[in-house]
Structure formats: C-alpha cells, structure tokens
C-alpha cells in the first residue's frame, strides 16, 4: 500500500507525457548560399551581433530610426501583446498548483429544542456559531499532463510573441531605412531634374533667338521645347514621389518628422556600410526572430496535441478543506473543534459523439500546419539572404556600369552640341543625346538607391541587431 501511494504521488507530480516529443524539423534549405563567398573584404561582421546604430552611418537616418522605435504605434501594440501573452501564461501556469482559499464565518440564530430553526412565538434558544477554514477547490490531479501541456503551450506562445515583436522591430528599421533611401533618391533626382530644366530653358531661349534671326528652323525650336516639357514632367513626378515618401516616413516614425535633423549622407555614401558575413544557413535558425517565433508556435501546437489526447482519459479533481467550528469564539481554535473534509472527483468520458476525436484531429492538423509554416519561414529567410547576397555582387557591377555609361553619354552630348553648332548635324541628334543622358543619369541614381537598399535588406535578412542590442 505504501509503494502504491508513492507511485501515485509521483504520477501526480510528473503526469503522463501524451504530447509528441518535440524535435526541431530538418532544415529544408541547403547549408550554404549560392553567393555566400562573393564578399572579398578582409573584415567581416556578423549581422546579428552588429547593432543598427553601428550599421547605419547616416546621422539623420539614425535619428529617424530611433524616433520610430520610440513612437511607432504598431510597435507599441506588439509590446503590449507580449504583456498579454505573459499574463495568459501566468494564468495557465497557476492551474498546475492548488488554489488555496481561507474563509471565516459567524452566524447567530434562534432554534427549537429539536434543532429546527425557530418560528415566531415558538420559543427556542438563541445560539452563535463561528468557523474558520482553509479550502482547496477542484484541483485537477494532472495524471495525463493536460494542465502541464496547456502551460507549455502558453509559455511557447509568450516566447513567440517576444520573437514576433523583435521581428517587427527589424522590419520597422528596414521600412524606415527603405523610405529614407527613397527620399534621398527623390532629392537627388529632383536636383538633377531641376538642373536639367534650367539648362533646357536656356537652350530654348537660345533656340528662340536663333529662330527669330532666321538661323534655325521652327522644327528645331519645337524640339527644344519638347525636350524642356519632358524634363518638367519628370520633375513633377519625382516631386510627387518625394512628398509621398515624406508622408510615409511621418507615419513610420509615429508623428511629424522633426525639422532640425542632422545633415544627410548621399546615396553614394549609403552604399558603404560594414561588410557582413553571410555564414551558413543554419545560423538563421538562431538569429532570425521570425524563425524563432515560428518554432515556438510549433512547440505550442505540439503541446496542444497532448492536451487533446488527455481528454480521452479520466479527469480527477480533488476538493478539500480544513478548519475549526465552535459555538464559542473564545475557544474556536482547538483540537476538539477541528473540521476537515477531502474527496476526489472522477469524470470519465464515455459518449461525446466524436467531440474529443474531432479536437484531436484539429490539434494534429494544427501541428502539421505549424511544421509547414516553420519550414516555409526558413525557406523564405534563405531566399531573402540569397537574393541580397546576389544583389550585393551584381548591383555593385550595375552601379559601375551605369556610371561609365553616364560618363560616355555626357561626352556624346558634348560632341552632338559641337557638331550642331558647326552645322554638321540636325538638332534631332542633340535632342536624342540629351534625352539619353537624362535617362541614364536618373537610372544611375535609382541603381545607387537599389544597391543601398539591398545592403539594408541583407542586414535584416541575416537577423541584424537581434543579438547586438
């Protein structure tokens, strides 16, 4: 009997493990990246260990990111969701322990000699009753681990919320940087377009003088005017883009962007952040907060399978109380006035018309869904890093090629203008050369921005800043 009692007590403490044993699924991606060795710098940094303040050199951008992390409403909501999950975990964890309550009671009544409550005019005596007791109400003996698995699921959900908040924080940094780089691109393109509009207005003025003097034709004048309106149209479109970027930046930073900001850096300077080491794809499993969040959700789903399986077994609850009761308050506490009661309650499911089986099917399906989502998150992360590594290599080549193309087209424009002034070619050749140069210069700025944006994407894709702050 003593051995049986000891085994029963151990079973109460440990419970049966009905949840599937958790094992991290195999990574569904290759161990290395296609462009993982493209970097030739001598000094590399691990993105997860590099704080964002050290990665972004632009002082204005650092101020904007800091403002966004402090004031962004979506990030604040994510922080509050962590507190919500923490509270739910505490509630669920409390169910693993008995709930102890203390109560006291005092009553006075008039009773018949036979013990029944007296009625008016029937006589009887007046008596007092005092009691104090401690109770344990409906404490479930967790034989099958249902309560423990519920606590495990709640804890995993809490950790998942923490990682989700970190993932959102990273995405917010990326969004602010992306919007800011778009704004810097618009500013540089506007400066180029304004200079082009000014130059073409001078050319149109000269063309008008030449037309009035009979030196050139109306066709040349109209072509010069068309070239000016083209630049003016492009300028208006870029100014619209700048206004939209400013509005989005205000939303991301949680309010109106301060006017007194540090001087910004050019796009060329934005393309020279610290060199990042790609490492192996397995490092994403511990550096990417979205992958860690997906894994915690998988752990929670697996624990819920154990909860669903436990529903097929008897549920045992225990209710007990201990206290004192007396008709005299002065001697209430004493061994002669002790009262106690204890009693288990067993509920065994017999006919539920498939409810428990349905709940188990749902839990197992959600477990399989969580596995698929975890693996998909890893694949997405691998794809993002691989794309950013390829961009780091080939966008740098594009920037160099566009720079050389712009320099060549500038020489073409100079030669075309000289040949036109000498009367060797028509104005249409100048028109085509200047149009090509303007488009090449705009594309050069856009490619610089794409290179800077890609480096930000690589930093975030590698889990930048998650360990360094």
């Amino acid at each position: 009997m003593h051995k049986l009692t000891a085994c029963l007590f151990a079973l109460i403490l440990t419970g049966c493990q009905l949840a599937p044993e958790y094992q991290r699924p195999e990574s569904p991606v290759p161990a290395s990246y296609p462009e993982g060795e493209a970097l030739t710098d001598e000094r590399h940094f691990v993105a997860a260990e590099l704080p964002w303040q050290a990665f972004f050199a632009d002082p204005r951008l650092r101020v904007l990111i800091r403002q966004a992390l402090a004031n962004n409403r979506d990030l604040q909501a994510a922080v509050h969701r962590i507190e919500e999950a923490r509270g739910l975990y505490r509630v669920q964890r409390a169910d693993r322990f008995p709930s102890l309550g203390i109560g006291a009671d005092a009553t006075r009544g008039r009773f018949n000699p036979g013990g029944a409550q007296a009625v008016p005019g029937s006589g009887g005596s007046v008596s007092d009753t005092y009691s104090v007791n401690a109770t344990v109400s409906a404490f479930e003996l967790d034989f099958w681990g249902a309560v423990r698995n519920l606590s495990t699921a709640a804890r995993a959900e809490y950790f998942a919320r923490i990682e989700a908040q970190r993932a959102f924080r990273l995405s917010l940094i990326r969004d602010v940087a992306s919007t800011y780089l778009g704004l810097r691109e618009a500013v540089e393109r506007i400066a180029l377009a304004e200079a082009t509009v000014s130059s073409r207005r001078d050319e149109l003025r000269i063309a008008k003088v030449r037309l009035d003097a009979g030196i050139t034709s109306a066709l040349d004048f109209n072509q010069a005017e068309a070239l000016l309106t083209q630049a003016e149209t492009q300028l208006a479109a870029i100014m619209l883009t700048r206004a939209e970027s400013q509005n989005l930046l205000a939303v991301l930073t949680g309010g109106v962007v301060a006017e007194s900001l540090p001087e910004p850096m050019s796009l060329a300077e934005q393309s020279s952040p610290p060199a990042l080491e790609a490492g192996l794809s397995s490092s994403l499993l511990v550096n990417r907060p979205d992958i860690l969040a997906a894994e915690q959700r998988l752990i929670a789903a697996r624990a819920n399978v154990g909860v669903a399986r436990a529903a097929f077994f008897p549920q045992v609850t225990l209710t007990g109380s201990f206290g004192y009761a007396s008709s005299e308050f002065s001697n209430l506490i004493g061994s002669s006035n002790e009262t106690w009661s204890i009693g288990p309650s067993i509920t065994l499911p017999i006919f539920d018309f498939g409810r428990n089986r349905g709940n188990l099917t749902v839990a197992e399906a959600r477990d399989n869904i969580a596995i698929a989502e975890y693996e998909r998150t890893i694949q997405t992360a691998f794809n993002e890093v691989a794309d950013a590594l390829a961009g780091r290599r080939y966008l740098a080549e594009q920037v160099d090629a566009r720079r050389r193309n712009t320099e060549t087209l500038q020489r073409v424009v100079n030669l075309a203008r000289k040949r036109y002034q000498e009367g060797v070619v028509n104005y249409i050749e100048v028109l085509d050369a200047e149009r090509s140069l303007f488009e090449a210069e705009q594309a050069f700025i856009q490619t610089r921005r794409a290179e800077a944006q890609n480096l930000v994407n690589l930093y975030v894709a590698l889990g930048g800043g998650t360990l360094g702050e």
Side-chain angles (χ1 to χ4, degrees):
M1 188 64 183
H2 291 293
K3 293 181 180 181
L4 180 62
T5 303
C7 292
L8 180 61
F9 184 71
L11 186 63
I12 293 174
L13 292 179
T14 60
C16 295
Q17 181 54 270
L18 297 179
E21 181 181 359
Y22 176 75
Q23 293 182 347
R24 178 180 290 174
E26 293 292 330
S27 179
V29 296
S32 59
Y33 302 103
E35 298 292 336
E37 302 300 326
L39 195 62
T40 58
D41 303 71
E42 293 183 358
R43 186 182 181 188
H44 303 164
F45 292 89
V46 177
E49 299 175 357
L50 186 66
W52 63 265
Q53 298 93 332
F55 179 79
F56 296 104
D58 191 318
R60 177 174 292 191
L61 177 56
R62 288 202 297 263
V63 171
L64 293 173
I65 292 176
R66 191 174 295 110
Q67 184 177 345
L69 294 177
N71 300 324
N72 184 269
R73 300 305 189 271
D74 290 332
L75 183 59
Q76 291 177 358
V79 172
H80 293 314
R81 290 190 187 98
I82 292 177
E83 295 302 316
E84 176 191 25
R86 179 184 299 169
L88 291 174
Y89 167 56
R90 287 174 176 172
V91 170
Q92 197 62 61
R93 184 174 180 271
D95 288 341
R96 298 184 62 181
F97 305 96
S99 178
L100 179 64
I102 298 177
D105 184 47
T107 60
R108 167 170 287 191
R110 186 155 59 94
F111 297 90
N112 287 324
Q117 187 172 355
V119 296
S122 62
S125 62
V126 176
S127 63
D128 298 326
T129 303
Y130 304 94
S131 66
V132 60
N133 58 75
T135 61
V136 175
S137 58
F139 170 59
E140 182 176 352
L141 303 181
D142 197 21
F143 289 109
W144 323 116
V147 177
R148 183 183 58 187
N149 283 322
L150 283 172
S151 178
T152 299
R155 181 181 60 185
E157 182 60 30
Y158 166 58
F159 290 148
R161 294 284 181 90
I162 293 177
E163 298 301 336
Q165 185 267 346
R166 294 171 64 202
F168 180 81
R169 188 173 183 271
L170 264 182
S171 68
L172 177 61
I173 293 174
R174 179 187 57 200
D175 291 344
V176 172
S178 175
T179 305
Y180 176 77
L181 291 174
L183 183 59
R184 300 315 310 159
E185 175 197 334
V187 169
E188 293 190 14
R189 291 179 64 194
I190 286 174
L192 173 62
E194 288 177 338
T196 302
V197 167
S198 177
S199 174
R200 290 181 182 179
R201 281 176 180 166
D202 290 340
E203 292 177 1
L204 181 62
R205 180 180 55 80
I206 295 173
K208 182 67 167 67
V209 172
R210 292 169 63 88
L211 176 63
D212 293 341
I215 301 175
T216 186
S217 65
L219 177 61
D220 290 347
F221 174 78
N222 289 328
Q223 288 174 336
E225 188 174 18
L227 202 62
L228 172 61
T229 56
Q230 177 194 39
E232 290 174 337
T233 302
Q234 187 73 17
L235 175 60
I238 302 172
M239 293 184 73
L240 173 60
T241 301
R242 181 183 64 179
E244 293 173 343
S245 297
Q246 289 173 333
N247 295 335
L248 178 57
L249 199 57
V251 173
L252 292 173
T253 55
V256 179
V257 179
E259 295 182 0
S260 58
L261 293 172
E263 286 297 317
M265 297 173 60
S266 66
L267 284 177
E269 295 171 309
Q270 305 280 356
S271 300
S272 303
L276 300 177
E277 175 63 47
L280 298 177
S281 63
S282 58
S283 62
L284 294 178
L285 303 183
V286 295
N287 292 339
R288 288 268 301 219
D290 56 340
I291 295 178
L292 294 173
E295 183 176 14
Q296 290 298 327
R297 294 190 182 98
L298 173 57
I299 293 173
R302 193 140 295 182
N304 285 326
V305 172
V307 175
R309 288 176 177 175
F312 288 88
F313 297 89
Q315 182 183 22
V316 181
T317 57
L318 183 66
T319 302
S321 67
F322 175 82
Y324 300 92
S326 173
S327 60
E328 298 291 338
F329 183 77
S330 58
N331 62 354
L332 174 62
I333 306 300
S335 58
S336 61
N337 296 326
E338 287 182 1
T339 63
W340 59 270
S341 67
I342 185 171
S345 174
I346 301 178
T347 303
L348 177 64
I350 299 179
F351 299 110
D352 62 1
F353 302 96
R355 181 186 301 276
N356 288 338
R357 175 60 61 183
N359 288 332
L360 178 58
T361 301
V362 170
E364 291 174 340
R366 288 175 177 172
D367 179 52
N368 292 329
I369 292 172
I371 293 175
E373 290 179 344
Y374 174 69
E375 294 175 342
R376 183 193 62 190
T377 304
I378 295 176
Q379 291 174 335
T380 300
F382 180 89
N383 181 69
E384 290 176 355
V385 175
D387 287 349
L389 289 172
R392 179 170 65 180
R393 176 178 180 179
Y394 297 114
L395 281 171
E397 296 179 4
Q398 287 186 44
V399 168
D400 182 64
R402 288 196 181 278
R403 178 186 56 77
R404 290 184 282 108
N405 181 54
T406 301
E407 294 173 351
T408 300
L409 289 175
Q410 182 64 65
R411 292 194 295 268
V412 170
V413 169
N414 295 337
L415 289 172
R417 288 174 179 170
K418 184 177 180 180
R419 286 163 60 86
Y420 173 70
Q421 292 171 358
E422 295 174 352
V424 179
V425 297
N426 295 327
Y427 190 70
I428 187 65
E429 183 171 321
V430 178
L431 177 68
D432 289 340
E434 291 188 349
R435 182 185 296 112
S436 298
L437 175 61
F438 181 67
E439 293 174 353
E441 289 174 329
Q442 294 282 346
F444 180 47
I445 295 174
Q446 290 174 318
T447 307
R448 275 203 180 281
R449 186 258 179 154
E451 182 186 28
Q453 175 64 59
N454 180 76
L455 294 175
V456 173
N457 292 342
L458 177 60
Y459 175 70
V460 173
L462 290 172
T466 55
L467 302 180
E469 297 178 75

